[in-house]
Amino acid sequence: MADDMRAMDAPTDGPSDPGPRHVAIIMDGNGRWAAARGLPRAAGHKEGVAALKRTVRGCAGLGVRCLTVFGFSTENWRRPADEVSDLMGLVRSYVASDLTGLAKEGVRIRVLGRREGLPPDIAAIVRKAERDTAHNDRFLLQVAFNYGGQADIVDAARRHAERVLAGEAPVDISEADFGELLSTAGAPPLDLIVRTSGEVRLSNFLLWEAAYAELVFQDILWPDYGPEALKAAIDEYQARERRFGGRPAQTAITAQTAKAN
Ligand code: FPP
């Protein structure tokens, strides 16, 4: 699976492609959007799905080849049962309907996060969406669902330990090899993380992958989001100088090294 995705994994730092190639979004503010209108939170989540559709469709024109969104965290189970049920219902309809259309447009769908604990019908929908789009390589849409960055790292460490115990891998492991055990294995390096709604934290999202990503926080509630707002975030990204821990003159070389790692 990981190997097929490398077609989307070309350098972003050439002058002809300033990137970002891979953008991740923490879609925050659905509840506040609804409250400001005197609507139930479910209405905010519904509009959030519409914003997600707009944003995915705007990606191609902005040069983005991979989008990762935070749909439901391992911590979101703590929300009231009716809200959890609303979010599950939206995922059912989104994955079953819109994502099928996206699949025809060359979008590969991948769901990040633990499958255990998902309602069985959602797990089946997810499996089908991934299977039916596995051949697509124009655009990669990763939906983090029942996902936590720390849990993903723990799961990867457990897999490594199992391989070591089975005599299939040495104890010593490089960052690159460890990255191959994460649920994002094979996706392009993460260039930009956006969080909407004015909150300024990562909330356990893509902790490993965020190592050298640029962070942009936008004061816009997620249901109001779309290609224009994404373009503003990309403009901010492109005005930054990425150093990957080096000095400015070393940036191009070090960026390649970071990608190789
Ligand atoms: C944050 O808003 C958003 C979420 C918890 C979930 C995001 C979900 C969607 C956009 C809908 C469906 C998702 C998929 C994957 C199809 P919040 O409720 O925390 O807002 P608040 O901070 O204003 O209360």
Side-chain angles (χ1 to χ4, degrees), residues 17 74 108 133 135 178 180 207-208 215-216 242:
D17 179 7
T74 43
R108 179 172 189 168
T133 63
H135 56 282
F178 192 78
E180 292 293 314
L207 298 182
W208 176 277
L215 309 182
V216 169
R242 298 186 79 190

Side-chain angles (χ1 to χ4, degrees), residues 77-146:
W77 292 107
R78 296 181 196 142
R79 294 191 177 203
D82 60 340
E83 185 173 354
V84 169
S85 160
D86 286 339
L87 285 166
M88 294 293 157
L90 283 172
V91 155
R92 275 185 193 98
S93 55
Y94 180 56
V95 178
S97 64
D98 201 61
L99 291 193
T100 311
L102 289 170
K104 292 192 188 118
E105 294 168 32
V107 176
R108 179 172 189 168
I109 294 147
R110 187 191 215 190
V111 178
L112 314 178
R114 287 184 175 160
R115 298 295 153 92
E116 314 91 71
L118 283 186
D121 68 313
I122 292 194
I125 289 170
V126 163
R127 265 197 308 276
K128 182 170 165 21
E130 289 187 332
R131 195 185 55 227
D132 292 355
T133 63
H135 56 282
N136 287 340
D137 64 1
R138 196 185 61 72
F139 185 81
L140 175 61
L141 174 62
Q142 301 190 114
V143 181
F145 200 78
N146 196 24

Side-chain angles (χ1 to χ4, degrees), residues 4 96 107 109 131 150 152 230 232 238:
D4 302 345
V107 176
I109 294 147
R131 195 185 55 227
Q150 291 181 339
D152 209 47
L230 180 58
Q238 289 175 348

Side-chain angles (χ1 to χ4, degrees), residues 52-73:
L52 177 58
K53 291 180 184 177
R54 285 194 298 274
T55 305
V56 168
R57 295 220 149 74
C59 277
L62 294 168
V64 175
R65 299 291 307 275
C66 175
L67 180 71
T68 304
V69 294
F70 209 172
F72 192 87
S73 74

